[in-house]
Amino acid sequence: MTSRATSVRPTPPPGRPARRLLIGLALLLVAALTPAAATPPAQAAPSLLSQGRPATASSTENAGTPAAAAVDGDAGTRWASAFSDPQWIQVDLGARANLSQVVLSWEGAYGRAFTIQTSDDGAAWTTVHSTSAGTGGTQTLNVAGAGRYVRMHGTARGTGYGYSLWEFQVYGEAGGTAPTCGSANVAQGRPATASSVENAGLPASAAVDGNPATRWASAAADPQWLRVDLGSVRSICRVVLTWEAAHARAFQLQTSVDGSAWTTVYGTTTGTGGSQSLAVTGSGRYLRVYGTARATTYGYSLWELAVNVPGDDAPPVEPTDPRNPNFGPNTFVFDPSTPTATIQSRLNTIFTQQERNQFGPERYAVLFKPGTYTADVNLGFFTQVAGLGMSPDDVNLNGHVRAEAFWMGGNATQNFWRAAENLSVTLPAGVTVERWAVSQAAPYRRMHLRGAQNQIQLWNGGDGWSSGGLMADTKIDGLVVSGSQQQWYSRNSEFGGWTGSVWNMVFQGVTGAPPPHFPNPSHTVIPQTPQVREKPFLYVDGTGEYRVFVPALRTNSTGTSWYGRTPAGSSISLSQFYVVRPGTGAATINAALAQGRHLLFTPGVHRVTEPIRVDRPDTVVLGLGLATVQADNGTVAMRVADVDGVKVAGLMFEAGQVNSPVLMEVGPPGSAASHAANPTSLHDVFFRIGGPGVGRATNTLTVNSDHVIGDHMWLWRADHGDGVGWTVNTADTGLTVNGDDVTMYGLFVEHYQRYQTVWNGNGGRTYFYQNEMPYDPPNQAAWMNGATRGYAAYKVADSVSTHQAWGMGSYCYFNVDPSVVADRAIEAPTNPNVRFTNMVTVSLGGVGTINRVVNGTGGTANAANQQAYLTNYP
């Protein structure tokens, strides 16, 4: 979402190309007159390592296009694959090498989306380059990595043919040092299964829990096995077995990539028991201890199974003092003894810096311990204000907690990325109006605006638009006035009243909501919230210890979780958290997770070059000050295992310049475990591709696990800022849901180049959906889905048999070419159990056309008729 006036990029002033030409001629003249002796000495060029080396491929088109033809040095021979995705070609360099460059000389059949990957064993791969905008021709790619094997892994072809390379050239320096075997236990906390257990107190998981006092024990029979899922294919260099007295005399260590076909990497018939540290060479996602002969009459019994991988030494993880934590320089904690002038000066300084700082790296959190304060909190970009009480009423600010848009002439359609949480506010005497003029990613959560005579305005008060927002778990004693706010989602709140409507207002579990009446006024009212967990929050207990409260699941709920009641849930000391400050590498973060710690991200931009791996059930990952995780070098920023009860809250994920396949993945592909009793939940989790600079990601958020809850998310491919353009900040899809029984509350997805949201799982539910299609298709031909004009904003797969969605809005503003048409906003199978309630499409300013609302049903939104409403489908 953006102001339409600011979305048009200025054209360069006339005459600039001629100026560049004159400068170029001048430089050529200087170069011609410079003595040869002034030329810097030549640098040693990297060696061509791949030519004539063994090459293999996933397939070949025919016998005349083998893999070897791409590394033979002959520009007239080529490798070509079958006509399908994915495909790969790899070369064995013969020994580990440090790589600097890969040159791809494509034939006409090129790769549009592909990665360059390295490996030490040909099984576990590391991505060193990624793109979804391959151009064909000759591509010279500068890379930084090492390995014996290098491959091009293609995931999307640029033509209807296969992949075809005249030459695949790898440059670097031979003799790279093999990584040492690390000491981090990558099996700890991972899912484990066994052929049997002696009793319920000796489960398989006890062998990978990091506790030397718990153990797995099998039935007293041969053979038996214990298996651990490492989450992805890993190179394995050491396995440490800590046996109880009932050990194995004969056993094997086996690896597998799929849990079905096994390779033996170690075997013995003279096992000694005790602690065995076994050097192995192999790779796999799964490792299995397979016992064939017991040394005693009992079963097999292991205190611990540890797995080490190359180069993965666990860095030190500092402890957290729960009474005096180090939240970094951009977190400010006030208590009632802090002078009012000191508090206000700090607030004013932050606001002055952040009022217009939409794309800067600065992030701030301002926290108030329980007590009463006098303060005017005016929130700019990337600023969070929050109370540290167990109830919002434990912290009262006499003054304001407000968001306004005077920086943009009253237009609040770019008032993003700020948050107010867990506070009560008493307005100054004689003042009856509070303003929360915001659009996306600006939650007003767990708040209490006191005074039945007061009102909160969701726009700037008569001088501009605002476009999207959330109130959750909030009590407004007086009136909520939406004014020119275009769409809004209110959940589990208590209002003195509500007035106003534009296009898409949804109320769920809200007391004091207006009566349902769609489309005029456009009020969608859902009496209850079927299942939700409120966002975890930081607080200070009566002893001065910082803790994180994790609210329990609520079922069929209305109203807030806290007003007039004691919130249900659990409390975790901050000593159990690792406090992540900017500059901390993913290896350290993952080491903390492997030790069983939760994560608290402090304000700032946290750059990672490998995924943060959340593998342990019930892990809490909480961000302060809209802390941002940036995915560099084409990595996935975070992977969550298919486990119970993970909570991720208050974070933004941002794409880097090198294309990531996905920014966040919840559950690996094929996840199938039930989490109905304890689902994973995502709260105020936001995503950004482009804006501060170039960012690229093929997919943004993929949910593979079942029963996941999304509680307010904004997935945004930037339509303004730096690094923005149809071929610049490339991103195919926002949200992909493959899991069953996934529920989204307050879902915002905007500007992706293909489908905005793709729903493949059954039993899905969405309550409130706000979408803008991409502004920038250069023409209709560039934005076609086969014979269909454009891509739907919300796609439910043909295979889905049950799905429901309420309160949906999709908007177009095709400002590059207003003649562009989207054939439909929603695409779904026609099935009585796939149902949509209360939908609207809008042509913003009449710029562009959405032809139908769902499939071929509903009116047209265009210049002549800018809104089209549909109450039910089918």
Side-chain angles (χ1 to χ4, degrees):
M1 180 65 67
T2 186
S3 161
R4 292 192 293 276
T6 62
S7 66
V8 180
R9 298 179 63 83
T11 56
R16 186 166 295 176
R19 181 173 180 269
R20 284 202 298 268
L21 178 59
L22 291 173
I23 292 173
L25 290 171
L27 290 174
L28 288 171
L29 179 60
V30 170
L33 296 175
T34 301
T39 304
Q43 302 294 315
S47 300
L48 176 59
L49 304 175
S50 54
Q51 193 160 307
R53 297 299 309 169
T56 54
S58 52
S59 66
T60 57
E61 181 180 352
N62 56 58
T65 56
V71 294
D72 61 1
D74 184 347
T77 64
R78 64 186 176 95
W79 162 72
S81 77
F83 300 177
S84 62
D85 294 309
Q87 300 290 340
W88 53 261
I89 180 172
Q90 76 180 44
V91 58
D92 178 359
L93 304 179
R96 199 168 202 264
N98 294 317
L99 309 181
S100 59
Q101 196 174 81
V102 173
V103 178
L104 303 175
S105 298
W106 295 100
E107 193 249 359
Y110 67 96
R112 182 175 60 82
F114 63 88
T115 56
I116 303 298
Q117 300 174 313
T118 64
S119 175
D120 288 314
D121 58 6
W125 294 91
T126 299
T127 297
V128 296
H129 176 84
S130 178
T131 184
S132 61
T135 58
T138 298
Q139 293 184 268
T140 300
L141 310 173
N142 294 321
V143 300
R148 173 175 172 172
Y149 301 88
V150 183
R151 77 175 176 182
M152 186 287 300
H153 187 262
T155 54
R157 292 162 289 143
T159 72
Y161 299 98
Y163 298 82
S164 184
L165 284 165
W166 294 113
E167 285 294 298
F168 177 30
Q169 296 177 314
V170 179
Y171 292 86
E173 296 181 5
T177 302
T180 58
C181 193
S183 59
N185 179 8
V186 299
Q188 187 169 316
R190 296 297 310 169
T193 54
S195 52
S196 66
V197 294
E198 182 181 342
N199 58 58
L202 302 169
S205 59
V208 292
D209 63 1
N211 184 352
T214 62
R215 64 186 174 96
W216 161 70
S218 77
D222 293 313
Q224 301 289 339
W225 53 261
L226 173 73
R227 183 180 79 171
V228 60
D229 177 359
L230 303 178
S232 62
V233 175
R234 309 294 297 270
S235 296
I236 299 170
C237 54
R238 186 189 301 115
V239 175
V240 181
L241 304 174
T242 306
W243 294 99
E244 196 249 359
H247 65 278
R249 180 171 55 81
F251 68 91
Q252 299 170 357
L253 299 179
Q254 301 173 324
T255 61
S256 175
V257 296
D258 58 6
S260 177
W262 294 91
T263 300
T264 297
V265 295
Y266 175 86
T268 185
T269 58
T270 57
T272 59
S275 180
Q276 293 182 271
S277 181
L278 307 172
V280 301
T281 300
S283 62
R285 173 174 172 172
Y286 302 89
L287 181 124
R288 181 167 74 171
V289 182
Y290 190 82
T292 55
R294 291 164 290 141
T296 72
T297 57
Y298 298 99
Y300 298 84
S301 184
L302 279 167
W303 293 111
E304 283 296 302
L305 163 65
V307 178
N308 304 138
V309 299
D312 201 16
D313 283 306
V317 178
E318 68 179 40
T320 299
D321 181 350
R323 296 181 181 276
N324 188 31
N326 181 357
F327 291 141
N330 291 343
T331 300
F332 300 93
V333 180
F334 299 126
D335 62 43
S337 69
T338 310
T340 296
T342 300
I343 296 173
Q344 194 60 55
S345 175
R346 175 59 63 188
L347 292 169
N348 293 346
T349 298
I350 293 173
F351 177 71
T352 298
Q353 177 181 299
Q354 297 301 104
E355 181 182 13
R356 299 171 179 267
N357 195 12
Q358 187 170 174
F359 296 115
E362 294 79 12
R363 309 284 188 271
Y364 294 96
V366 181
L367 310 177
F368 291 87
K369 290 184 177 181
T372 300
Y373 304 80
T374 298
D376 180 6
V377 182
N378 197 354
L379 288 175
F381 286 100
F382 291 105
T383 307
Q384 176 197 28
V385 61
L388 293 172
M390 264 298 290
S391 166
D393 288 342
D394 291 341
V395 179
N396 183 59
L397 297 187
N398 292 305
H400 293 277
V401 174
R402 58 193 173 102
E404 296 171 323
F406 295 111
W407 70 279
M408 204 175 172
N411 185 337
T413 57
Q414 290 186 33
N415 267 12
F416 312 142
W417 303 309
R418 61 202 74 197
E421 301 179 63
N422 203 29
L423 294 161
S424 66
V425 179
T426 300
L427 297 180
V431 177
T432 60
V433 175
E434 185 77 296
R435 283 201 184 115
W436 191 250
V438 298
S439 291
Q440 290 77 30
Y444 196 84
R445 183 188 287 274
R446 198 177 168 81
M447 294 288 289
H448 184 189
L449 181 60
R450 298 171 183 259
Q453 77 283 2
N454 295 328
Q455 63 174 250
I456 184 168
Q457 296 179 345
L458 304 183
W459 89 112
N460 214 58
D463 56 352
W465 293 90
S466 48
S467 188
L470 167 98
M471 278 185 176
D473 206 20
T474 284
K475 180 171 172 57
I476 307 295
D477 290 350
L479 187 66
V480 183
V481 182
S482 62
S484 60
Q485 175 64 247
Q486 293 169 333
Q487 60 258 323
W488 193 267
Y489 178 58
S490 303
R491 181 186 59 71
N492 285 93
S493 294
E494 301 173 19
F495 299 156
W498 176 286
T499 181
S501 167
V502 179
W503 294 325
N504 182 19
M505 306 290 172
V506 177
F507 308 83
Q508 184 166 19
V510 174
T511 62
H517 201 296
F518 187 90
N520 187 22
S522 60
H523 293 159
T524 298
V525 180
I526 303 153
Q528 294 181 323
T529 304
Q531 185 185 61
V532 76
R533 174 190 291 123
E534 297 297 341
K535 179 183 177 180
F537 60 90
L538 185 68
Y539 75 103
V540 177
D541 70 10
T543 72
E545 179 176 319
Y546 284 84
R547 304 182 69 86
V548 171
F549 188 76
V550 182
L553 282 173
R554 301 173 71 197
T555 303
N556 296 328
S557 58
T558 59
T560 68
S561 67
W562 54 270
Y563 187 75
R565 55 175 66 96
T566 300
S570 59
S571 178
I572 307 171
S573 169
L574 203 64
S575 65
Q576 301 302 306
F577 281 74
Y578 176 61
V579 177
V580 185
R581 294 184 293 276
T584 305
T588 303
I589 296 170
N590 286 330
L593 289 166
Q595 293 177 13
R597 303 276 282 275
H598 306 276
L599 300 178
L600 181 75
F601 282 84
T602 62
V605 177
H606 303 260
R607 302 168 73 101
V608 298
T609 55
E610 62 179 280
I612 298 169
R613 299 181 182 276
V614 184
D615 295 333
R616 182 173 52 86
D618 297 311
T619 300
V620 177
V621 180
L622 179 63
L624 295 179
L626 290 94
T628 301
V629 179
Q630 180 173 311
D632 286 342
N633 294 349
T635 190
V636 178
M638 180 176 286
R639 294 188 189 274
V640 179
D642 189 29
V643 295
D644 276 356
V646 173
K647 298 94 183 171
V648 181
L651 283 181
M652 186 163 85
F653 293 90
E654 187 158 84
Q657 292 186 25
V658 179
N659 186 76
S660 294
V662 64
L663 292 182
M664 182 180 187
E665 182 182 73
V666 181
S671 295
S674 173
H675 308 292
N678 187 15
T680 284
S681 52
L682 313 177
H683 312 265
D684 297 341
V685 178
F686 311 130
F687 300 84
R688 183 168 69 180
I689 299 175
V694 175
R696 299 183 177 99
T698 304
N699 299 295
T700 302
L701 170 63
T702 298
V703 177
N704 294 313
S705 290
D706 296 343
H707 304 104
V708 172
I709 294 173
D711 172 27
H712 187 220
M713 294 189 295
W714 186 33
L715 291 72
W716 188 62
R717 173 182 168 261
D719 61 88
H720 63 281
D722 292 329
V724 172
W726 187 252
T727 61
V728 181
N729 61 326
T730 52
D732 283 356
T733 308
L735 172 66
T736 302
V737 178
N738 298 319
D740 292 338
D741 301 305
V742 171
T743 302
M744 294 288 162
Y745 299 105
L747 177 60
F748 301 74
V749 186
E750 294 191 311
H751 305 309
Y752 288 87
Q753 293 174 290
R754 294 191 176 189
Y755 291 117
Q756 312 293 303
T757 296
V758 178
W759 211 293
N760 298 315
N762 273 310
R765 291 175 294 182
T766 296
Y767 299 94
F768 182 90
Y769 184 70
Q770 188 272 322
N771 161 260
E772 283 187 353
M773 293 179 174
Y775 286 179
D776 54 345
N779 49 59
Q780 189 72 68
W783 198 51
M784 293 289 292
N785 182 13
T788 300
R789 292 175 294 181
Y791 289 80
Y794 194 93
K795 163 71 174 176
V796 180
D798 292 343
S799 58
V800 171
S801 58
T802 57
H803 187 89
Q804 295 184 70
W806 293 260
M808 307 186 73
S810 180
Y811 318 107
C812 74
Y813 180 66
F814 300 131
N815 64 325
V816 176
D817 181 357
S819 69
V820 168
V821 177
D823 273 340
R824 58 188 70 93
I826 301 168
E827 184 177 306
T830 301
N831 180 328
N833 294 317
V834 178
R835 303 197 303 273
F836 300 90
T837 303
N838 293 357
M839 298 147 279
V840 59
T841 58
V842 180
S843 174
L844 296 169
V847 181
T849 298
I850 301 177
N851 196 43
R852 292 291 182 265
V853 179
V854 185
N855 296 337
T857 302
T860 300
N862 56 18
N865 180 42
Q866 294 185 19
Q867 297 93 38
Y869 293 94
L870 184 64
T871 55
N872 289 287
Y873 185 88

